[in-house]
Amino acid sequence: MRLIWSKALFGLCFLSVLSAKAQTDRWQQAVKYEMDVEMDVDKNQYEGHQNLEYTNNSPDTLHRVFYHLYYNAFQPNSMMDVRSRTIADPDGRVKDRIANLTPDEIGYLKVKSLKMDGKSADIEHVGTILEVNLPKPILPHSTVNFSLDFEGQVPLQIRRSGRDNKEGVRYSMSQWYPKMANYDDQGWHANPYIGREFYGIWGDFDVKITIDKSYILGGTGYLQNPEEIGYGYEEEGQKVKQPRGKTLTWHFHAPQVHDFMWAADPNYTHDKMVMDNGITIHHLYIKGEKTANNWKKLMEYTPQSMAYLSEHFGQYPYKQYSVIQGGDGGMEYPMSTLITGERTLPSLVGVMVHEMAHSWFQGVLATNESLYPWMDEGFTTFATNVTMNNIFSKEPSKSPQAGSYRGYIRLATSGKEEPMTTHSDHYHTNFAYGSAAYSKGAVFLGQLGYIIGEENRDKAMLKYFNDWKFKHPKTNDIVREMEKQSGLELDWYKEYWVNSTKTIDYSVSSVEASDNGTKITLQRDGLMPMPIDLVITYQDGSQEMVYLPLVIQRGNKPEEAGMPERIKTQRWPWTNITTEVNLDKDFNTIKSVEIDPSQRMADINRDNNSFTLEEE
């Protein structure tokens, strides 16, 4: 496909990002980081200085603040270690590996001193959180400056971040610096690092990393000194003049992001291309038998994915994106991702697309993943499925979300499901968390296409991105976008699907001749009510549909392309377990009756969804 975008449109989009403000009833804190870091590649240790400009946009006076010190999780007997060893179904990447780390393999992050506006603050390291008692309160709508010195040791690669991963990448530097915890209308979110993902504050990052000259870096942000660095970052024809000495200082700037990741290895190959809209795609990987061919082919799919996701889910707002070999699987970060690279081409493209799609839901919308992981992982899974179906599949599926539906039904019938309102760290099993966040979250959107119509759903998704980018949306925000687009009430859907574990099961109880034609009896066997598409197939092969919306949705979805003609609309009160549909059609002309033949409703037992008269 040809990638053509208006540079003027891109510029306007990017400027709108920088000036984005929260809704009138929302506020959010703001940060501006400046960091200078020196890495010792022999000891796998680093020292740094951080200046943080912190703006309290809340109506509250703050007497304490909290920093995340994520690397402290990678120590024996940390909360991550204990949880990883005692949860019913341990993550295979972790298990007891943290417990067995030696002193030179552990991770740590220590703040040596901290001042606010030049005055020393009392600090206490409590696992992965630094608790800070302020020398004076931070008043509402005021800005203060924090200055701190820190030191860290990069842990052996276990989960997301670390050194010397299984594919030989030296440094995957995520969650590596003291990061201010977020404070919002729900208070502080100083969650210890136990295993799940992250929530940050929007701001600008200016980062200088001094490291051995042989290392090649990539990650978040725009390189500010390519003429001193080279390694493929320079413009075509630009002369590179590296300074003398054994080290280089890489200077990155990242505007309007909530985190900063970098990776480094002396054997990285750096491939770069510029899309027609000015977005630069970077690939950094270690070239070898298992990577060379597939990573070259990946350069075709990365810009295609960027273009498709921007068209269907909202324009990507930054000027670059980096795909970097590293980490322990796939993990998203602003402007970049870490993925393991020794994969088959379908696997490599699939993980790239998934992590790139996170740029919309984790990177730009940035819902709190601790509280609403399904709004990131689930929506990203949904977007991944449709993107892969359109850019990679030789024979696109009519049901790209089928795998997510199967995953949800396994969860719903397992006896292990927990409500999606459960905090990420507090799911009883990894299985319940993963299935809820990824599968049930994707089905949330897939099923909305059934409830309000796919065209309405897709328009609402674009509106959701444009209305809520850089604003940390919550559950009601996505539901309200769907309501505004469709004109339907959907609070019932949120209450059942998100806040409960009640399941959907409808059946065709009977089809029989009546005095006036044919009587069809439908029954709700599950506890969750849903609107029903009932398709009647006649002996001559023709089809018609009876639509049974819920009374509480207060309206009808539009007729959909590809569906049979709607001959009747009949509201079904959720209090009624059964309902009758009467047709003025001769009983002998009917071949079969089926509930939701499109299979977009997550019915946990489809065996009772149809009734074939030939078999009766």
Side-chain angles (χ1 to χ4, degrees):
M1 64 184 292
R2 181 167 171 78
L3 307 174
I4 301 176
W5 295 89
S6 163
K7 290 186 177 180
L9 178 61
F10 175 85
L12 287 172
C13 177
F14 191 71
L15 286 173
S16 69
V17 164
L18 296 179
S19 62
K21 296 184 182 296
Q23 305 283 53
T24 54
D25 61 341
R26 297 284 178 93
W27 50 264
Q28 52 186 321
Q29 310 295 60
V31 291
K32 186 176 181 180
Y33 286 91
E34 292 182 359
M35 289 187 281
D36 251 305
V37 184
E38 291 192 11
M39 171 66 78
D40 184 330
V41 298
D42 295 319
K43 295 181 179 179
N44 300 306
Q45 296 174 351
Y46 56 97
E47 293 188 348
H49 179 78
Q50 179 189 103
N51 286 319
L52 173 62
E53 182 182 283
Y54 181 80
T55 301
N56 177 19
N57 288 316
S58 82
D60 307 322
T61 298
L62 305 180
H63 298 272
R64 306 172 78 199
V65 298
F66 303 88
Y67 285 80
H68 294 283
L69 306 174
Y70 293 110
Y71 273 3
N72 294 339
F74 300 101
Q75 300 174 14
N77 296 314
S78 69
M79 292 180 72
M80 179 184 280
D81 173 38
V82 173
R83 179 65 166 164
S84 298
R85 288 187 281 111
T86 58
I87 195 169
D89 54 343
D91 186 327
R93 292 165 293 194
V94 185
K95 291 186 177 179
D96 62 350
R97 290 181 63 202
I98 297 175
N100 295 316
L101 291 175
T102 61
D104 64 336
E105 293 174 336
I106 67 168
Y108 63 73
L109 186 55
K110 302 174 183 177
V111 174
K112 296 188 288 186
S113 64
L114 187 149
K115 294 181 179 181
M116 187 187 87
D117 290 340
K119 296 182 178 179
S120 295
D122 292 329
I123 61 175
E124 182 180 1
H125 292 76
V126 184
T128 59
I129 297 296
L130 183 75
E131 299 180 355
V132 181
N133 292 313
L134 301 175
K136 63 178 181 179
I138 306 176
L139 300 178
H141 312 296
S142 67
T143 298
V144 298
N145 288 278
F146 290 99
S147 175
L148 61 85
D149 294 305
F150 62 97
E151 62 182 10
Q153 178 169 288
V154 187
L156 191 68
Q157 179 81 52
I158 291 179
R159 190 69 185 99
R160 298 189 178 93
S161 186
R163 64 175 176 85
D164 303 316
N165 80 342
K166 64 181 180 180
E167 295 180 346
V169 175
R170 281 291 284 138
Y171 294 116
S172 300
M173 299 295 291
S174 54
Q175 291 83 54
W176 60 275
Y177 62 94
K179 179 181 178 182
M180 180 69 76
N182 207 351
Y183 182 84
D184 63 16
D185 60 337
Q186 294 172 293
W188 282 106
H189 296 272
N191 303 105
Y193 186 28
I194 294 174
R196 306 303 180 206
E197 297 184 18
F198 313 103
Y199 184 40
I201 311 170
W202 299 115
D204 297 342
F205 285 72
D206 193 88
V207 180
K208 294 178 180 177
I209 302 161
T210 301
I211 192 169
D212 185 282
K213 187 177 283 187
S214 66
Y215 279 72
I216 303 168
L217 274 61
T220 304
Y222 311 122
L223 185 64
Q224 300 297 293
N225 56 338
E227 73 286 349
E228 295 179 349
I229 298 296
Y231 290 126
Y233 283 98
E234 71 274 18
E235 297 295 329
E236 186 175 351
Q238 185 179 35
K239 290 186 177 181
V240 177
K241 188 175 181 180
Q242 291 187 348
R244 293 182 179 181
K246 296 181 179 180
T247 63
L248 281 177
T249 298
W250 297 64
H251 182 192
F252 294 96
H253 181 72
Q256 195 76 346
V257 295
H258 55 71
D259 204 356
F260 189 98
M261 179 275 289
W262 58 283
D265 192 277
N267 297 312
Y268 272 148
T269 291
H270 178 204
D271 292 337
K272 179 177 69 174
M273 70 160 292
V274 181
M275 295 173 61
D276 288 346
N277 63 354
I279 295 175
T280 301
I281 301 294
H282 301 275
H283 282 187
L284 292 101
Y285 62 100
I286 299 174
K287 187 176 289 187
E289 289 184 5
K290 297 179 180 179
T291 59
N293 291 334
N294 287 342
W295 277 78
K296 279 294 182 186
K297 293 175 182 176
L298 189 65
M299 282 301 283
E300 172 187 348
Y301 292 105
T302 304
Q304 286 186 29
S305 304
M306 178 67 71
Y308 185 89
L309 288 162
S310 290
E311 179 182 355
H312 294 275
F313 295 96
Q315 177 60 50
Y316 180 75
Y318 303 111
K319 295 184 289 186
Q320 77 151 44
Y321 187 77
S322 297
V323 182
I324 305 173
Q325 183 180 2
D328 65 338
M331 184 62 200
E332 70 280 1
Y333 298 97
M335 300 191 201
S336 57
T337 180
L338 289 170
I339 62 173
T340 48
E342 296 177 357
R343 299 167 175 262
T344 63
L345 183 61
S347 175
L348 188 64
V349 175
V351 71
M352 177 277 293
V353 170
H354 182 83
E355 304 310 330
M356 178 186 283
H358 272 296
S359 295
W360 278 254
F361 303 106
Q362 189 263 3
V364 177
L365 290 162
T367 292
N368 183 346
E369 292 179 274
S370 295
L371 298 180
Y372 318 104
W374 58 275
M375 292 180 67
D376 172 41
E377 296 293 356
F379 292 7
T380 293
T381 299
F382 178 90
T384 301
N385 292 340
V386 297
T387 303
M388 288 293 288
N389 197 46
N390 281 274
I391 72 162
F392 193 77
S393 299
K394 293 181 180 178
E395 297 181 5
S397 169
K398 293 182 180 179
S399 305
Q401 308 301 332
S404 293
Y405 278 75
R406 289 192 295 269
Y408 160 69
I409 291 171
R410 281 195 297 271
L411 171 66
T413 56
S414 70
K416 297 180 179 180
E417 186 180 8
E418 300 175 55
M420 291 203 294
T421 52
T422 305
H423 187 286
S424 294
D425 282 323
H426 295 278
Y427 276 86
H428 186 60
T429 63
N430 281 314
F431 167 72
Y433 163 78
S435 298
Y438 290 78
S439 297
K440 192 175 183 182
V443 174
F444 175 89
L445 292 179
Q447 203 160 230
L448 274 169
Y450 171 74
I451 295 170
I452 70 173
E454 293 187 359
E455 185 177 349
N456 274 335
R457 189 267 320 278
D458 294 346
K459 288 180 178 178
M461 286 300 290
L462 276 170
K463 191 74 163 48
Y464 171 60
F465 180 82
N466 289 324
D467 286 349
W468 288 98
K469 57 189 175 184
F470 304 105
K471 298 172 188 174
H472 303 298
K474 302 174 185 177
T475 303
N476 205 54
D477 300 320
I478 181 65
V479 172
R480 288 293 294 135
E481 292 288 1
M482 297 291 167
E483 288 184 328
K484 292 173 185 177
Q485 176 62 41
S486 67
L488 303 180
E489 287 194 21
L490 298 170
D491 56 338
W492 60 272
Y493 182 57
K494 175 186 68 175
E495 296 300 329
Y496 277 98
W497 193 254
V498 177
N499 298 351
S500 85
T501 58
K502 295 176 180 178
T503 56
I504 303 164
D505 184 14
Y506 279 86
S507 61
V508 181
S509 294
S510 64
V511 181
E512 54 192 335
S514 67
D515 293 340
N516 299 317
T518 302
K519 182 177 75 172
I520 304 169
T521 303
L522 305 179
Q523 181 167 312
R524 175 168 60 82
D525 299 317
L527 294 177
M528 178 172 172
M530 284 285 284
I532 297 299
D533 288 352
L534 184 68
V535 174
I536 300 96
T537 302
Y538 297 97
Q539 295 290 349
D540 63 3
S542 62
Q543 292 184 320
E544 294 178 322
M545 191 174 86
V546 176
Y547 175 51
L548 295 98
L550 291 171
V551 171
I552 54 176
Q553 72 185 58
R554 300 299 168 197
N556 307 328
K557 70 175 174 181
E559 293 203 42
E560 298 180 274
M563 295 295 290
E565 180 185 0
R566 189 182 296 177
I567 59 169
K568 186 175 185 178
T569 296
Q570 177 180 319
R571 295 192 187 193
W572 189 346
W574 72 268
T575 53
N576 297 14
I577 301 301
T578 63
T579 194
E580 292 181 359
V581 176
N582 292 291
L583 302 178
D584 58 357
K585 306 286 185 177
D586 190 298
F587 174 77
N588 294 311
T589 66
I590 296 176
K591 180 178 181 181
S592 65
V593 173
E594 184 175 3
I595 294 170
D596 177 36
S598 71
Q599 300 190 20
R600 293 175 295 170
M601 183 173 72
D603 193 309
I604 65 168
N605 177 23
R606 297 200 62 85
D607 292 342
N608 58 12
N609 282 32
S610 60
F611 195 106
T612 302
L613 273 69
E614 291 178 335
E615 297 175 355
E616 294 300 310

